[in-house]
Amino acid sequence: MARKSATKKTSRKTRSSKPSRRRSAASEASGNGQVQTIGGYLIQRLQDYGVRDAFGIPGDFVLNFYGMLEDSPINVIGTTREDCAGYAADAYARINGLGVVCVTYCVGGLSLCNSIAGAFAEKSPVVVISGSPGISERVNDPLLHHRVRDFNTQYEVFQKITIAGASLDDPLTAFREIDRCLEAAVRFKRPVYLELPRDRVDTPALYPHESLSTRLQSNKDALQAALGEATERINAAERPVIIAGVEIHRFGLRQQVLKLAEAHDIPMCATLLGKSVVSERHPLYLGIYEGAMGRREVTEYVENSDCVILLGTFMTDINLGIFTAQLNPERCVYATSEQLRIGHHHFLDVLLEDFVKGLAKAKIQHEPPTDLPCKPERKPLGLTPDDKVTSAGLFEFIDEILDNEMVVIADVGDCLFGSADLTIHKHTEFISPAYYTSMGFGIPAAIGVQAGNRKLRPLVMVGDGAFQMTSLELSTAIRQKYNPIVVVLNNKGYTTERFLQEGPFNDILNWNYHRLPDLLGDGWGFEVHTMGDLKQSMQAALANQDAFSILNVHLDSHDVSPALKRLADRMSKVI
């Protein structure tokens, strides 16, 4: 195909969108003579999107809406802190498709900022609902409690960390704004913000409202041109490889990626953020591609490929092994919900779903690869029951006990890097904040996971530093009768930070983590020093189906995972 310049762009027409009317349950309620109110409509629309649970902490500016939630089919799960509610809603969204967190004005909402920023960065659709002072209360600009600067401050803050937002203060526009924001959350897989003044919760619609939905469509010419060039490149390649990322999770495109790979024997990798996008036992799965932190065989295969197909992948510094990866853009087909680039050619107005589905149906013909790197048979470390637990020994043991009913939740730190080497059996059974990397995610995320799917049992890998930030959320697990297994990597401080720069600022107080059940009044705790302790404790924890279990695993303060050692070795040769 002749090219006129180094970069070509298809037509800049905007994506065609056709509003289609569909009657939601909220619309049906209106048709049955029930009064549509702003609060009631919001709750019904959440149910229309499959929301069964909401997380949060009540406060006076949102109490009347909380009462409405309690009277609805949506289960309200109270947490110990607002940021924990945000983490739980984030994890729930990753499992269920949409999460909800509901808090009061400013002291509640602004406490959510960090967890919602993480959800935005990692494309997790969370609906933030915040109460606020009533419109009638704002006359003469009074200094009401919780207020910061002016009544719009919180709304303006959330504009920076959500994809859409609205203040539901006008019954003429509130119903349409609810539709717009919820649709944006699902379409873009990012958080949205809804602020509900407390004197508008029961405000009725001025006119009967019927929900509208908008369906985006790809530019047909751009889509066909992109598929044509991608197919041409794959057919000409000797060793193409797929790297599947987090958006394959979010947009539910796993089956299409598998169809593409299996039909043409194209090997697959995943990024750390997208880990478990396919079963890691699939014969075409090579492993995690993460630069120097990944296995050498996988890294070399990908970087020597003449056609790297990156689908739904965000190439962050973590996914790139702290920028030790070496990918040539000229050899890449790079498709996300935000851009489509093939080599140096950019295509506009092409939906990720359409491109992936079209590629799965394309006429691709090439010889199956014969030089796939063999999955290494892990040589047992040969640790005896009396040997002290090491990081390598811990992750080797965890890999052996994983089953199809577990979901691994990796918090931030060396537990995240070490977890990259675990073999995840099924789709979407590994969750971590592997891009935003906010410590303290793991424990509240376990609450969100079990609320989203009670059949999954969370195995939380968390460092002692991160655990100290949000550990009391285990009290919520007790109240909800959840049974996560928590493995605390107790190395007396911030080991990943020690890896970068040693100093007393990396030290933390050594808690008796296994004694937390004594404080909370339920759960099982175990102190682990040796491999024998680890085996016995984990067997007991797996058998304990009635409450959480916590393993306090003592590690040397300078012991790091094999993944972090690989990175250190590679960086020492570069710097």
Side-chain angles (χ1 to χ4, degrees):
M1 181 164 29
R3 296 180 174 84
K4 295 181 180 180
S5 63
T7 301
K8 72 177 181 182
K9 296 187 177 181
T10 60
S11 168
R12 266 191 100 80
K13 294 179 181 178
T14 56
R15 295 174 184 170
S16 58
S17 57
K18 298 179 179 180
S20 57
R21 292 184 177 269
R22 63 182 181 85
R23 291 183 67 84
S24 67
S27 302
E28 295 292 347
S30 175
N32 291 333
Q34 298 180 18
V35 176
Q36 277 185 321
T37 63
I38 295 176
Y41 184 76
L42 173 55
I43 290 172
Q44 187 57 64
R45 293 299 284 133
L46 293 173
Q47 293 178 76
D48 292 342
Y49 279 99
V51 172
R52 304 181 307 276
D53 306 89
F55 305 86
I57 296 177
D60 57 347
F61 287 119
V62 76
L63 281 178
N64 47 354
F65 184 68
Y66 252 80
M68 189 174 284
L69 275 173
E70 286 290 347
D71 292 336
S72 79
I74 294 178
N75 177 43
V76 181
I77 299 176
T79 58
T80 62
R81 293 168 36 143
E82 285 89 355
D83 57 345
C84 288
Y87 291 136
D90 180 349
Y92 184 93
R94 300 184 194 208
I95 294 292
N96 188 64
L98 187 68
V100 175
V101 57
C102 184
V103 294
T104 194
Y105 185 60
C106 282
V107 292
L110 296 180
S111 295
L112 269 178
C113 285
N114 185 58
S115 46
I116 297 305
F120 184 94
E122 298 186 356
K123 305 211 71 169
S124 184
V126 176
V127 181
V128 178
I129 302 172
S130 174
S132 66
I135 300 303
S136 60
E137 297 175 84
R138 306 183 193 189
V139 177
N140 298 324
D141 199 26
L143 293 177
L144 295 180
H145 64 286
H146 299 340
R147 172 181 160 173
V148 180
R149 192 166 182 171
D150 59 44
F151 288 110
N152 292 323
T153 297
Q154 179 172 276
Y155 180 80
E156 292 170 355
V157 168
F158 273 93
Q159 283 183 311
K160 301 294 185 181
I161 54 175
T162 58
I163 197 66
S167 175
L168 306 179
D169 52 13
D170 186 348
L172 186 63
T173 61
F175 298 85
R176 286 177 292 172
E177 290 288 72
I178 290 170
D179 291 342
R180 177 181 65 86
C181 289
L182 295 184
E183 188 174 296
V186 173
R187 181 192 306 168
F188 297 105
K189 310 303 179 188
R190 283 198 157 120
V192 296
Y193 175 76
L194 294 172
E195 188 168 295
L196 182 56
R198 62 178 169 184
D199 61 357
R200 291 292 186 264
V201 174
D202 295 313
T203 299
L206 298 181
Y207 305 97
H209 176 76
E210 186 172 325
S211 60
L212 296 175
S213 62
T214 303
R215 186 170 64 90
L216 292 183
Q217 295 179 330
S218 295
N219 180 298
K220 292 183 179 180
D221 293 336
L223 175 60
Q224 291 306 312
L227 289 172
E229 181 164 345
T231 301
E232 179 183 333
R233 281 178 173 260
I234 297 171
N235 283 336
E238 293 184 2
R239 48 188 298 176
V241 63
I242 295 170
I243 300 181
V246 67
E247 286 196 324
I248 303 304
H249 278 302
R250 303 291 190 262
F251 286 92
L253 297 172
R254 168 178 168 267
Q255 289 298 335
Q256 285 71 30
V257 172
L258 284 174
K259 181 179 178 182
L260 170 63
E262 292 171 347
H264 310 292
D265 292 312
I266 301 176
M268 299 176 289
C269 299
T271 61
L272 185 55
L273 187 59
K275 184 175 171 69
S276 82
V277 65
V278 296
S279 169
E280 298 185 358
R281 291 184 168 185
H282 195 286
L284 288 171
Y285 180 77
L286 302 181
I288 296 290
Y289 176 71
E290 50 179 342
M293 284 192 293
R295 289 188 4 246
R296 177 181 57 81
E297 299 87 351
V298 176
T299 300
E300 291 179 353
Y301 189 92
V302 171
E303 295 181 354
N304 291 328
S305 169
D306 50 356
C307 184
V308 181
I309 309 163
L310 298 120
L311 301 176
T313 299
F314 288 95
M315 302 315 291
T316 70
D317 60 338
I318 304 297
N319 280 340
L320 291 173
I322 319 301
F323 293 127
T324 56
Q326 298 178 11
L327 290 176
N328 184 349
E330 176 60 35
R331 299 177 181 176
C332 293
V333 175
Y334 183 64
T336 71
S337 65
E338 298 176 3
Q339 66 170 305
L340 173 56
R341 187 183 72 239
I342 301 176
H344 295 295
H345 304 158
H346 295 258
F347 296 82
L348 303 176
D349 304 329
V350 177
L351 298 176
L352 175 64
E353 304 97 305
D354 292 341
F355 182 75
V356 173
K357 292 175 182 179
L359 207 55
K361 298 176 182 178
K363 295 181 180 180
I364 296 173
Q365 297 177 343
H366 74 91
E367 294 296 322
T370 58
D371 60 342
L372 290 182
C374 295
K375 294 181 181 179
E377 293 186 8
R378 295 190 180 179
K379 296 180 181 179
L381 296 175
L383 297 174
T384 69
D386 294 329
D387 286 330
K388 290 185 177 180
V389 179
T390 64
S391 181
L394 171 63
F395 285 104
E396 178 185 73
F397 175 79
I398 294 297
D399 202 46
E400 293 173 355
I401 60 97
L402 292 179
D403 63 31
N404 291 342
E405 304 305 320
M406 286 185 180
V407 55
V408 175
I409 302 175
D411 211 301
V412 174
D414 197 28
C415 55
L416 173 59
F417 299 134
S419 296
D421 288 338
L422 297 176
T423 304
I424 305 301
H425 295 205
K426 293 171 67 177
H427 169 57
T428 317
E429 292 193 355
F430 181 88
I431 293 176
S432 74
Y435 167 38
Y436 189 64
T437 58
S438 179
M439 292 174 65
F441 174 87
I443 302 299
I447 306 301
V449 164
Q450 286 207 284
N453 185 350
R454 193 58 195 268
K455 294 181 180 179
L456 291 176
R457 190 171 193 188
L459 176 63
V460 183
M461 305 297 294
V462 57
D464 49 352
F467 183 82
Q468 289 190 9
M469 293 181 177
T470 57
S471 59
L472 291 182
E473 214 54 61
L474 287 172
S475 64
T476 305
I478 293 173
R479 292 180 60 209
Q480 299 297 319
K481 303 187 184 304
Y482 295 157
N483 59 354
I485 299 173
V486 179
V487 179
V488 180
L489 283 66
N490 182 2
N491 42 32
K492 321 304 186 288
Y494 304 127
T495 296
T496 307
E497 307 301 332
R498 287 193 182 112
F499 173 75
L500 298 172
Q501 181 170 332
E502 183 60 278
F505 41 78
N506 292 319
D507 299 332
I508 63 174
L509 182 67
N510 180 28
W511 291 7
N512 289 323
Y513 301 100
H514 55 288
R515 299 292 302 276
L516 193 59
D518 295 340
L519 171 66
L520 299 180
D522 203 351
W524 291 7
F526 307 90
E527 188 166 25
V528 175
H529 291 277
T530 68
M531 294 302 297
D533 295 340
L534 178 61
K535 182 177 181 179
Q536 292 178 0
S537 300
M538 185 58 74
Q539 287 177 341
L542 292 169
N544 176 24
Q545 296 289 329
D546 298 328
F548 78 87
S549 298
I550 182 169
L551 280 64
N552 178 11
V553 181
H554 292 272
L555 297 169
D556 184 89
S557 61
H558 290 89
D559 183 20
V560 297
S561 68
L564 200 52
K565 289 178 180 177
R566 291 194 296 264
L567 178 63
D569 180 64
R570 176 73 173 270
M571 293 183 74
S572 68
K573 297 175 182 177
V574 174
I575 298 176

